[in-house]
Every structure is written in C-alpha cells, then in structure tokens.
C-alpha cells in the first residue's frame, strides 16, 4: 500500500507580486536575467532571493508528490532494466567472438584492398596529370598563337585568342603559378594592343589633317567644274531658245559619266579609324574610344578654324576654307561607314559651331574689304565651299545669309570703283566723234553694244555719232552687270534679274548720271564738246535696252521674255533729264557766244542820216557763228536737240536786239537805224528759213519755226516802219500784226524813235507828206501809249 502523501506548508514571501512574476517566467521557460539585473540595480536582491527560495520549496514539494504517486512504477522499471543488462552482456560476448573470427578471415582481403586502393590512387593521379598537361599545353599553344598575332599586328585574332584563354581555360588551369602568370599578362597584352591601335590612330589623325586641305580642294574643284558645266549647258540652252521657240534641243542634255571618276579622286583611307574603333569595342572600351576620337577631332577643328594673322585673308581664305571642307568631308565618311563611332547630333553640332565661326570671320573680313574684285573672289570660293559640303548633307543657310547681308557692301565697292573709272574716262575724253578704221574696232566698239540699229558693216573709215567714252562706259556697265550677276548667282535668291536691275539703276543714276552732270556743270567743255556730250548721253540712253538684255541673258531669262517685260530702268528717265540739262547748257553756251557778237550792237550808229545798204557788222558775225553752230550740231545732235539749241540762239538774238533798244545805252534812234535792223532781220530770217528746211526740221511738223523765234523784234521793226503806227492801239490790228509786242516795251522804244536825225538844218529840210503823216501817226501812238500807261 502506498502511504498518503505528506503535505508541506508553503511559506509565501511578503512580496507576492514579484514571486508570481518569477514563477510565470520560469513556467514559460523565459530568461530571468533582466529581472535579476533589475533587482540588483534597484538594490533589493534580498526580495529576489526570498522569492527564489519560495519557488524552490514549491518545486521540491511537487517532486515529492510526484514520486509518492508513481514509486511502484519506478520499482518495476528498475527490475526490467536489470534483466536487460544481463541480456546485453551475453550479446556483447557473442559479438566479440564473431568479431575475432571475422578479423581473422578478412586480414588477407584487407591487404589486397589496400593494394587496389593504391593502384586506383596512382591511376587517378596519372589521369589528373595528363588532363593538367593537356590544359597547360593548350594554354601555352594559345599564348604562342596570341604572341604571333601581336607580332604580325593581327590584333583582332589576338584579342579573340585572349578571350578564348580568359573565358575557356583561365579558370581551369590547375597550376596556380601558371594561372597567376596568364591572368597577369592578359590585361597587359590588351593594354599593349590598345596602345598600338591608338598609336596607329594618332598617326592617322596627323595624316588626315595634312590631307584635309587637299580633300577640300579636290571637292571644291569638282564643285567648280560642275558649276562651269552647268553654266555652259545653260548658255547652250539659252542660245538654242534664242534661235528657235520650237523647244529645247535634245543634244543639250547628256548623261554625266564623270561623277564616278570625280568621286574616286576624293578617296582617302580611314581604315585605321575602323580598326581602332573595332579593337576598342572588342576590348570593351568602345565608348572611351568614341570620346577620344570626338575630342581629338574637335581639337583639330579648333586649330583649323584659326586664321593666319601673318597673311592677308585674300591669300589665306582658299586653304583655310579647303581645310574646313576637307575636315567635314572626312567626318561625313566616318559617320556613314564607321558603325556608330560618330552620331549625327555630334556632327551637326560640330558643323554648326564651325559655320558660326566661319560666318563671323567672313562678316569681319567683308567689313574690311576695300576692293570689289577681292570681295567677289572670296564670295565665289565661299559659294563653292557651300556647294561642296552641301553635297554631303551639311546645311549652308548661314553661309548664304552672310553673303546676302554683304550684298550691299559689295555693290557699294563696285559702284565706287565704277565711279572712279567713269570719272577718269569722262575727264580724259576729247569729246570728238570717234573715227573707226577697222572692222574689228567696229565690232568691238559698236556692234558689241548694239549702238547702231543697222547690223550691216559700214564703209571705213566710219565716223561714229559718239566719242570714245561711250564704248568705254558701256564696257564698264557691262562689267558691272557681270560682276553683279556673279555675286548674286548661286546664293539664296531665286530670281536675281530684278535685283540686278536695281543695282544697274543705281550705277546709271548714282554714278554715270552724276558724272555726266558734273561734266555738264563744270563748264570746262567747249560748245562742240558739249554737243558731243549731249550726243553721247542720247546714245547711252539707247544702250539701256542692251544693258537689260545683257542682264536677262546672264540671269538665264530668254530674250523674248525680257523683251516682253514692261518694267524698264528708272535711269532712262534720269538720263532724259540730264539730256535736257545738257541741252540747256548748250543753249547757255550758244547764248554766251552770241552775246560776244551782240556787243557789236554798241558800234551801230543809231542816229544815222543815211539809209544803210548792207547789214550791220554784228549780224555778219552772228550768221557766221550760227552757220558753224548748225553744221556742228547737225552732225552730232538729234534733230530735237538741234531745234532746241538753234531756236534758243535765235530767240536770244531777238531778245538781245530788243534789250539793246530798251536799255539806256540807246538814247534815241532814227528810221535809218530801223531800216538797218530790218536788213539784219531779213538776213537772219532767210538763214532761219533755209536751215529749218535743210536740216529736216520742217518734216517734224514743229509749230514754231526758227523764223517764229524772231517774231517780237520783227513786229517791232514792222511797227516802226509802218505808215500808220497808231494802228497798234487798234485791238484787232494789234492782235493780228503785233500780237507778240508788249505795250510797255513799245512805249519805251517809240519814245526814243525819231523819223530823222537832228541836225543844224534839220528843221529846214524838205519832208514829204508820207513822212509827215507817219510822224503824226507815231506822235499819236506815243500819246495814246502814255495815256494807256
């Protein structure tokens, strides 16, 4: 029987909460360290120790209670364990015996097994050695192959071999020393290859920079040749269109088979670039090489963009622009063929930078230009540069814009040069009709400028209606047109004809017309020279049509289209005005010369007692001069100008006689003096009628003849010689016979008029009735004129 369990009293500590907490921690298997540490840190370890002792006592009670309940089971289990120990001892004896027997039986076999294992170990070592040797032999073979490739500068297969060693064999090399050596040499070999290809590329950079100028020159020469062929073809086409309107000639167009030959002339080697780029890609540093290439080429471009300060731009512009063109032709080839070495944006950015620099230089150099031919030379080369690079896809808008901006500056220089040339020509001209003795001279000075409407060759010597300055001026104008067209061609303008006309107008108005006016107003020319100048202006005015046709021809406009155009040159009207100015100068010169002869009027005896039989001396001199004037003007001036000059001179003679009678220099005059004036006028009227008919002016239907220019003085003389001068006061008769007379002038003249000269016996002289009647009528007229005034 089991004894009843003995109860033990559990003593609780004073701190019940702490004990319960520690019990819970122990029941849950948690760490008591924080609680213990806290107790010691708080200085109360006694409470903790008391709680722990309480917990130990509780556990001891629980263990005793458990043993009390199961002690019988424990006894049974111990008995069974003793029986198992006996059986184990027996089994141990049996196993020991069997083990001894087995060891005796397997000793020989173990010796054999050891021998077999040793043999297997040897075999394994031999196999590993063979494998190792094979790997090493293969690696050595690959290394030797790589060395041979490098020695032969076959870097691509060398890199392939290195890649094979590195990826296929390096990690499997069993010998650590060999593996270490190979691993150390691979990057060194790659670095060596990189340096070699970079060295070749650097040599190419130096070589291509030297070649760039030649490449650019060849390309620009090709552009020039293409332009020349294009101009020749257009010239043939214009010539064909000028001869026939049926359509273009089929022979004008042909297939150009020379482009391939021209392209081959631009061949240059970029293999080092391809090779270096490919090698760097294989080395895994392709981006590094792309950056290296771009930076080095930019540095080369910056050097190329620097203009020489020791050489004039006129001399250095061609190699300078050729170098730039060659640079970008190379870049285009690299962009197109180097498999991503350059990007389009990089090339475009580089080109934009370069073109901005070029335009800046051109603007500065153009602003310093003082010679139009130098200006045009540079402009032509710039347009050829644009044509050459535009063929490779580069935009040239900025180049065209800077040329357009400089257009006025160029033409201003051209106008200044033409002004100097024209001034020299006009100043040095003798203003005598040009005598041409040979046919080639005629073709060169007349036919070339269409100065004669008749195409037939005249007899020689041929006297031209102009002086030598006319064909020389025409040459200058034609040269100006050609230079203007040359500048405006191959620019941004589609229709340059209208622009050429504007500058042609400026030349004719601002330069030629101004120079002509300076000659007119300088008063340094004699009458015949002034006449020739007037004739020259007339010819130059007619030449304006030739200027327009020549401009249209150079601008590619068919002749029939240019002839149909209604927009002419403003200069024609200006030259017409200058013609009128020179005509007025001629009239003034003629009047000035007439005044020299009219001074002889002072020698006329105004109170002569005898009627003259001949004209006065002054009239003879005047008629001689007028004869010379008409003959000279008739050979030089057109009929309209001849009419103006001669009619002006005759009118001036009439005015001079009238002014002499009105002036205080003539106190009085007699009828005999009037009879002398009548003889003078009759001679002058006869001359006027004869010249008006002989010169062909009568055929022009002029309302006023040369005789009509004398109407005032004629009517005055008729009035003074009239038997009834008082009829002047009759409005009808005055309108019919004396319409050109002013009553004030008549009053002054009549007041000086006496029938005969006063003399000692004048009152005793016999007078007929007619004279007395005329005297009375004159007295009546005088009184009535005084009353009228």
């Amino acid at each position: 029987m089991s004894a009843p369990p003995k109860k033990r009293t559990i003593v609780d500590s004073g701190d019940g909460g702490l004990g319960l907490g520690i019990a819970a921690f122990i029941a849950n298997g948690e760490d008591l360290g924080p609680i213990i540490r806290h107790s010691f840190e708080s200085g109360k370890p006694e409470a903790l120790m008391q709680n722990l002792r309480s917990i130990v006592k509780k556990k001891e009670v629980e263990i005793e209670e458990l043993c009390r309940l199961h002690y019988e089971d424990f006894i049974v289990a111990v008995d069974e364990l003793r029986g198992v120990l006996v059986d184990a001892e027996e089994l141990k004896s049996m196993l020991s015996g069997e083990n001894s027997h087995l060891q005796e039986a397997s000793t020989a076999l173990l010796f054999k097994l050891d021998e077999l294992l040793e043999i297997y170990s040897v075999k394994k070592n031999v196999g590993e050695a063979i494998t190792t040797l094979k790997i090493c032999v293969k690696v050595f073979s690959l290394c030797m192959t790589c060395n041979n490739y490098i020695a032969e500068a076959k870097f691509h297969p060398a890199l392939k071999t290195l890649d094979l060693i590195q990826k296929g064999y390096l990690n499997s090399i069993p010998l650590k020393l060999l593996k270490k050596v190979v691993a150390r040499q691979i990057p060194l070999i790659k670095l060596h290859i990189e340096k070699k290809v970079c060295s070749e590329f650097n040599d190419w950079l130096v070589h291509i920079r030297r070649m760039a100028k030649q490449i650019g020159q060849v390309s620009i020469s090709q552009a020039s040749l293409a332009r020349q062929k294009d101009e020749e073809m257009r010239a043939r086409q214009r010539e064909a269109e000028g001869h026939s309107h049926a359509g273009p000639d089929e022979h004008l167009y042909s297939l150009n088979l020379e482009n391939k030959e021209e392209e081959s002339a631009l061949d240059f080697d970029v293999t080092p670039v391809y090779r270096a780029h490919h090698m760097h890609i294989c080395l895994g540093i392709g981006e590094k090489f792309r950056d290296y290439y771009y930076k080095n080429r930019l540095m080369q471009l910056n050097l190329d963009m620097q203009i020489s300060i020791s050489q004039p731009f006129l001399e250095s512009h061609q190699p300078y622009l050729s170098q730039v063109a060659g640079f970008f032709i190379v870049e285009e080839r690299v962009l197109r063929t180097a498999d991503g070495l350059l990007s389009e944006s990089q090339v475009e950015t580089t080109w934009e930078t370069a073109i901005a620099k070029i335009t800046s230089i051109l603007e500065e150099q153009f602003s310093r230009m003082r010679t139009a031919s130098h200006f045009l030379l540079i402009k032509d080369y710039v347009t050829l540069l644009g044509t050459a690079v535009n063929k490779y896809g580069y935009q040239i808008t900025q180049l065209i814009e800077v040329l357009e901006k400089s257009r006025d500056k160029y033409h201003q220089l051209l106008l200044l040069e033409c002004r100097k040339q024209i001034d020299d020509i006009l100043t040095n001209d003798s203003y005598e009709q040009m005598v041409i003795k040979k046919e080639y001279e005629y073709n060169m000075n007349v036919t070339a400028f269409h100065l004669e409407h008749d195409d037939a060759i005249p007899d020689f010597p041929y006297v031209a209606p102009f002086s030598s300055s006319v064909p020389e001026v025409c040459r200058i104008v034609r040269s100006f047109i050609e230079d203007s067209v040359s500048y405006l061609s191959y620019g941004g303008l589609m229709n340059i004809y209208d622009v050429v006309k504007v500058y042609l107008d400026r030349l004719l108005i601002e330069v030629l017309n101004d120079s002509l006016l300076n000659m007119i107003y300088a008063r340094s020319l004699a009458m015949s020279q002034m006449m020739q100048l007037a004739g020259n202006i007339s010819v130059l005015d007619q030449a304006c049509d030739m200027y327009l046709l020549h401009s249209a021809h150079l601008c590619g406009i068919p002749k029939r289209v240019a002839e149909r155009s209604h927009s002419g040159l403003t200069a024609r009207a200006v030259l017409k005005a200058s013609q009128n100015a020179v005509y007025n100068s001629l009239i003034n010169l003629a009047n000035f010369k007439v005044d020299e002869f009219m001074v002889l009027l002072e020698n006329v005896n105004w109170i002569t007692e005898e009627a003259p039989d001949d004209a006065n001396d002054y009239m003879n001199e005047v008629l001689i001069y007028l004869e010379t004037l008409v003959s000279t003007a008739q050979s030089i001036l057109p009929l309209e100008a001849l009419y103006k000059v001669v009619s002006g001179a005759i009118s001036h003679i009439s005015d001079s006689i009238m002014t002499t009678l009105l002036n205080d220099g003539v106190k009085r005059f007699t009828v005999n003096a009037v009879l002398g004036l009548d003889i003078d006028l009759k001679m002058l009227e006869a001359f006027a009628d004869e010249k008006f008919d002989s010169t062909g002016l009568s055929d022009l239907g002029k309302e006023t003849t040369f005789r009509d220019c004398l109407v005032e003085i004629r009517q005055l003389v008729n009035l003074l010689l009239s038997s009834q001068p008082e009829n002047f006061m009759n409005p009808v008769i005055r309108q019919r016979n004396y319409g050109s007379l002013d009553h004030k002038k008549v009053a002054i003249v009549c007041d000086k008029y006496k029938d005969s000269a006063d003399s000692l016996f004048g009152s005793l002289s016999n007078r007929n009735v007619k004279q007395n009647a005329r005297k009375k009528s004159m007295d009546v007229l005088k009184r009535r004129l005084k009353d009228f005034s």
Side-chain angles (χ1 to χ4, degrees):
M1 291 182 63
S2 62
K6 227 171 156 184
K7 293 185 180 179
R8 298 185 63 181
T9 304
I10 299 176
V11 181
D12 293 331
S13 67
D15 194 354
L18 179 61
L20 293 176
I22 294 173
F25 268 80
I26 294 172
N28 295 330
E30 296 182 8
D31 186 16
L32 298 179
I35 296 176
I36 297 172
R37 188 182 304 111
H38 175 73
S39 297
F40 280 94
E41 288 177 353
S42 60
K44 297 179 180 180
E46 294 81 6
L48 175 64
M49 294 301 295
Q50 183 65 32
N51 285 307
L52 289 176
R53 291 188 189 99
S54 299
I55 292 171
V56 169
K57 289 180 179 181
K58 288 180 182 180
K59 293 299 179 179
E60 288 178 350
V61 171
E62 290 176 0
I63 293 171
E64 290 177 356
E65 184 67 23
L66 183 62
C67 291
R68 186 181 62 82
L69 293 175
H70 298 284
Y71 74 95
E72 293 178 356
D73 294 333
F74 289 157
I75 294 172
V76 173
V78 170
D79 292 338
E80 291 178 354
L81 182 58
R82 288 178 177 174
V84 170
L85 286 175
V86 173
D87 294 338
E89 285 295 330
E90 293 177 357
L91 180 60
K92 181 178 178 182
S93 299
M94 291 176 62
L95 287 175
S96 177
E98 291 295 329
N99 180 46
S100 299
H101 179 71
L102 181 61
Q103 285 182 354
E104 291 176 0
S106 61
T107 300
L109 293 176
L110 288 174
F111 286 122
K112 295 293 183 181
L113 179 60
D114 290 338
E115 292 176 359
L116 180 60
L117 290 176
E118 185 178 355
I119 292 172
Y120 276 126
S121 177
V122 172
K123 179 182 179 182
K124 180 181 177 182
N125 291 338
V126 171
E128 290 177 355
I130 292 173
T131 303
T132 300
L133 289 175
K134 287 181 178 179
I135 293 173
C136 293
V137 168
K138 184 63 177 179
V139 170
F140 282 128
S141 176
L142 290 174
C143 290
M144 291 177 64
T145 303
C146 181
N147 288 336
N148 292 333
Y149 284 146
I150 293 174
E152 297 172 1
K154 296 179 180 179
F155 299 127
H156 182 260
L159 284 178
K160 289 292 185 182
T161 305
L162 285 177
D163 188 63
L164 179 61
I165 294 172
Q166 188 173 14
K167 294 181 179 180
Y169 295 95
L170 183 61
N171 292 330
S172 60
I173 295 176
L175 298 179
K176 292 183 179 181
L177 181 59
L178 177 61
K179 181 178 181 179
K180 183 178 180 181
V181 171
V182 172
R184 185 177 65 250
Q185 289 297 320
I186 286 177
L188 295 177
I189 294 173
K190 288 183 177 181
L191 181 61
H192 173 75
I193 293 174
E194 180 185 354
K195 289 181 178 180
K196 290 292 288 186
V197 295
C198 282
S199 176
E200 292 180 2
F201 172 72
N202 291 334
D203 292 341
W204 177 86
L205 284 175
V206 175
H207 170 74
I208 204 64
R209 185 162 184 251
R210 289 199 303 266
M211 286 288 295
K213 184 189 299 182
Q214 180 181 351
I215 295 169
Q217 288 173 343
V218 171
S219 180
I220 291 174
S221 298
Q222 291 175 5
S224 177
L225 182 61
R227 177 182 295 182
Q228 182 180 352
K229 290 179 180 179
D230 182 59
E231 290 175 351
E232 291 174 355
M233 186 184 72
R234 291 181 181 178
R236 291 196 299 269
Q237 185 176 359
R238 288 195 296 267
E239 183 179 356
E241 290 177 351
H243 288 88
S244 173
H245 305 320
D249 189 353
E250 62 180 2
H251 298 292
L252 291 176
Y253 305 98
S254 59
L255 181 63
N256 188 2
L257 299 177
E258 299 181 6
N259 288 338
K260 186 174 181 180
E261 296 178 2
E262 293 176 356
E263 190 68 26
S264 64
L266 273 178
D267 190 21
F268 50 89
D269 187 20
V270 290
T271 303
V273 179
Y274 303 152
R275 186 177 187 181
H277 184 214
H278 184 68
M279 289 297 100
H280 280 79
I281 291 176
C282 292
L283 290 170
I285 51 175
E287 187 63 34
K288 176 182 176 181
F289 179 75
R290 285 189 284 270
D291 184 63
Y292 181 77
Y293 176 89
Y294 186 63
K295 288 181 178 178
N296 277 272
R297 289 294 280 165
L298 275 182
M299 286 191 291
Q300 286 190 335
L301 179 62
N302 290 333
L303 292 175
D304 294 339
M305 295 299 296
Q306 296 176 5
I307 61 174
S308 174
I309 59 175
S310 62
Q311 191 177 19
F313 189 70
L314 178 66
E315 299 176 5
S316 64
H317 76 279
Q318 291 191 3
Y320 172 75
L321 296 176
S322 298
Q323 185 77 26
V324 175
F327 178 90
F328 283 100
I329 291 172
V330 172
E331 292 300 275
E332 189 275 338
R333 174 77 66 83
V334 172
L335 172 65
R336 182 164 44 89
T337 61
D339 192 23
L341 175 58
L342 280 176
S343 65
E344 289 187 7
S345 62
Q346 286 177 318
V347 177
E348 289 176 2
T349 302
T350 307
W351 170 250
E352 289 172 0
T353 303
I355 205 68
K357 178 69 173 178
I358 292 173
T359 54
S360 174
I361 292 173
L362 289 176
E363 287 176 351
E364 180 183 358
Q365 294 298 326
F366 284 161
S367 66
R368 299 178 180 178
M369 287 290 172
R370 296 294 179 266
T371 306
S373 59
H374 297 170
F375 207 117
L376 182 60
L377 186 65
I378 295 174
K379 177 266 171 187
D380 284 341
Y381 207 79
V382 170
T383 56
L384 288 174
L385 165 70
T387 303
V389 298
N390 185 248
K391 183 172 64 173
Y392 295 93
Y394 294 104
Q395 296 298 318
I396 58 172
T397 306
Q398 288 179 279
L399 277 181
I400 301 301
E401 288 176 353
V402 75
L403 295 179
E404 286 298 307
K405 290 178 183 178
S406 305
R407 184 176 68 193
D408 285 339
K409 174 65 183 298
Y410 167 75
H411 283 91
Q412 192 64 36
L413 292 176
L414 200 58
L415 289 171
L416 289 174
E417 293 179 2
C418 291
R419 179 184 294 278
K420 184 178 183 304
Q421 295 172 5
I422 290 176
D423 285 344
D424 291 342
I425 290 171
L426 295 180
T427 302
N428 298 323
D429 191 10
S430 63
Y431 293 98
E432 296 177 355
Q433 287 182 310
M434 192 174 182
V435 179
I436 299 176
K437 300 179 180 180
K438 302 291 183 181
E439 182 177 349
Y440 78 89
E441 294 179 0
Y442 182 84
N443 293 332
M444 182 174 61
N445 295 302
V446 180
T447 307
F449 306 111
H450 305 283
L451 299 181
E452 286 289 352
H453 299 292
D454 190 2
D455 294 335
I457 301 297
D459 296 331
F460 297 102
Y462 167 75
V463 179
F466 48 81
S467 65
S468 61
S469 63
V470 171
E472 292 182 12
V473 168
C474 288
R475 286 189 188 91
I476 292 174
V477 175
R478 185 173 64 181
S479 175
F480 175 88
I481 294 170
E482 292 169 354
D483 290 341
S484 179
V485 171
S486 296
Y487 188 89
L488 297 172
S489 298
Y490 304 99
L493 294 175
M494 296 301 294
N495 181 16
I496 65 174
Y497 178 59
D498 293 335
V499 182
V500 172
K501 283 203 305 182
V502 171
Y503 288 113
L504 177 59
D505 254 335
R506 288 186 60 185
L507 171 69
L508 297 177
I509 295 173
E510 299 176 10
V511 177
L512 177 59
N513 188 69
D514 283 357
S515 298
L516 291 171
L517 289 176
N518 291 336
M519 293 301 301
I520 293 171
Y521 296 130
R523 298 182 180 179
S524 60
L525 300 180
M527 173 61 72
S528 61
Q529 292 177 318
M530 188 66 76
M531 287 184 182
Q532 188 59 65
L533 178 59
N536 290 352
I537 294 176
S538 178
V539 176
L540 291 171
D541 175 49
Q542 297 172 8
C544 287
D545 293 332
M546 182 274 295
Y547 300 150
L548 283 178
L549 291 177
H550 188 58
S551 300
H553 175 74
L554 294 177
C555 295
I557 298 176
K559 183 179 180 180
R560 63 181 185 276
V561 176
E563 289 175 343
R564 287 201 303 264
S565 176
H566 299 291
S567 59
L569 292 171
T570 308
R572 297 205 69 166
V574 178
L575 289 174
K576 289 287 186 186
S578 297
Q579 276 186 300
N580 293 329
V582 75
Y583 294 157
N584 292 332
S585 295
L586 283 172
I587 293 171
N588 293 333
L589 283 175
N591 293 345
F592 180 77
K593 192 67 177 179
V594 167
D595 287 339
E596 294 180 4
F597 302 119
M598 297 304 292
V599 173
L600 298 176
L601 274 171
E602 298 175 358
N603 299 331
V604 174
N605 186 0
W606 295 104
I607 56 174
T608 180
E609 297 179 0
E610 297 180 358
D613 296 327
D614 300 317
N616 290 301
D617 293 339
Y618 81 91
M619 184 53 64
N620 293 325
E621 296 292 337
V622 166
L623 289 176
I624 293 172
Y625 173 71
L626 289 178
E627 179 67 37
T628 304
L629 177 67
V630 172
S631 61
T632 304
Q634 190 174 3
S635 63
I636 298 175
L637 298 178
L639 288 179
E640 188 66 33
L642 172 67
Y643 173 76
K644 289 182 179 180
V645 174
V646 178
S647 61
I650 295 175
S651 296
H652 187 67
I653 294 171
S654 175
D655 294 339
S656 297
I657 297 173
M658 178 66 77
T659 302
T660 301
L661 293 175
L662 293 173
N663 286 341
D664 295 336
V666 178
K667 302 297 183 182
R668 59 180 178 167
F669 57 90
T670 64
V671 67
N672 292 328
V674 176
L675 289 173
L677 288 178
D678 184 56
I679 295 173
D680 295 341
L681 288 178
K682 286 180 180 177
M683 291 181 64
L684 187 57
E685 287 169 345
F687 174 85
D689 291 339
E690 190 273 330
K691 293 302 178 184
F692 192 78
D693 292 333
S694 63
T695 56
L697 289 171
S698 58
D699 299 332
L700 297 181
K702 292 289 184 181
E703 295 181 0
T704 304
T705 64
F706 289 160
R707 175 187 281 271
D708 295 334
C709 298
L710 298 168
V711 63
E712 184 182 22
I713 192 62
R714 166 48 66 193
Q715 289 181 359
L716 179 61
V717 170
N718 288 344
L719 176 62
L720 295 176
L721 296 177
S722 173
S723 59
Q724 294 181 324
E726 62 181 311
N727 288 339
F728 178 76
M729 301 308 295
N730 185 323
V732 177
I733 297 176
R734 184 171 70 234
Q735 182 64 33
R736 183 176 69 247
N737 297 331
Y738 310 110
S740 298
L741 292 177
D742 179 67
H743 69 278
K744 293 182 179 180
K745 293 181 180 180
V746 173
I748 296 172
V749 172
C750 288
D751 190 55
K752 298 180 180 183
Y753 178 69
K754 305 295 182 183
D755 267 345
S756 60
D758 293 335
S759 63
L760 180 61
F761 304 101
S763 60
L764 302 176
S765 61
N766 298 323
R767 295 179 179 173
N768 56 36
V769 178
K770 184 176 180 180
Q771 287 176 329
N772 291 332
R774 183 170 60 192
K775 183 176 182 302
K776 291 179 181 180
S777 178
M778 180 61 71
D779 292 338
V780 172
L781 176 61
K782 292 178 181 179
R783 287 195 303 272
R784 295 184 65 180
L785 286 172
K786 288 181 180 179
D787 295 339
F788 184 80
S789 302

